[in-house]
Amino acid sequence: ANGFRYGWIALAAAAALVVAIGVVVVRRETIGPALPDLVIAHVDGHERDALKLRAPVAAAEVDRAFADRGVALKSVPEGISYVHKCPVGGLPTVHMVMPVDDTPVGVVYVTRYRAPGITNFERGAWEGREVPIADGTLVMVGPSASGFDRIEHEWRDAIEGPAQTAAGSR
């Protein structure tokens, strides 16, 4: 009788695990492909006026926005002209604007959601890139992707810390 009872417990535990994995996979699939669209709708809609800003914001303001979202920055990139904690599609984010050669780039760090990989995308007049960094995802959108490599590198260093090289670790 004991073996029969433990068999049911094991079966129930296995079923619960399958349901939990299914929820995570469905959540990733429903957010993943839609995240670029959500970010573009946010940047091009609610935050359109922020794209016009050019005066730099204080590093402490950027640091505080990330800390409020549970992310401790190792450094703060320069050239941020706007920072705000915004919900994008119900996800907690920090939204910034980083002009590159006077061309606005919307930069959104989504906390607690990690994209499966780096994805470049185009939506109408917008070019974009989605990049998993630490426990979140950095999404960049703008009329051109020309500054994306630099911005991605700066934010990877800011969130994860500078990459260590073999020569640098001695």
Side-chain angles (χ1 to χ4, degrees), residues 49-145:
D49 288 341
L51 294 171
K52 299 173 188 168
L53 301 174
R54 295 294 181 267
V57 298
E61 198 175 330
V62 176
D63 197 47
R64 186 170 36 258
F66 274 85
D68 288 350
R69 291 289 195 214
V71 178
L73 294 178
K74 314 277 190 281
S75 62
V76 175
E78 293 183 12
I80 299 168
S81 61
Y82 173 81
V83 64
H84 195 261
K85 296 177 295 187
C86 305
V88 173
L91 299 167
T93 73
V94 178
H95 173 206
M96 296 150 293
V97 173
M98 296 180 72
V100 175
D101 298 327
D102 207 39
T103 300
V105 176
V107 180
V108 176
Y109 186 71
V110 182
T111 62
R112 298 189 298 266
Y113 169 74
R114 186 170 166 88
I118 297 174
T119 305
N120 291 306
F121 57 89
E122 289 183 36
R123 302 286 193 280
W126 295 96
E127 291 190 41
R129 181 180 297 165
E130 181 180 51
V131 182
I133 297 178
D135 293 328
T137 301
L138 186 75
V139 182
M140 299 166 281
V141 296
S144 163

Side-chain angles (χ1 to χ4, degrees), residues 7-82:
W8 278 107
I9 292 171
L11 183 60
L17 181 61
V18 168
V19 169
I21 290 170
V23 166
V24 169
V25 169
V26 168
R27 179 174 164 83
R28 180 169 298 276
E29 288 175 358
T30 57
I31 292 172
L35 187 57
D37 297 324
L38 293 170
V39 169
I40 288 172
H42 178 77
V43 170
D44 195 29
H46 303 303
E47 304 286 331
R48 182 173 259 304
D49 288 341
L51 294 171
K52 299 173 188 168
L53 301 174
R54 295 294 181 267
V57 298
E61 198 175 330
V62 176
D63 197 47
R64 186 170 36 258
F66 274 85
D68 288 350
R69 291 289 195 214
V71 178
L73 294 178
K74 314 277 190 281
S75 62
V76 175
E78 293 183 12
I80 299 168
S81 61
Y82 173 81

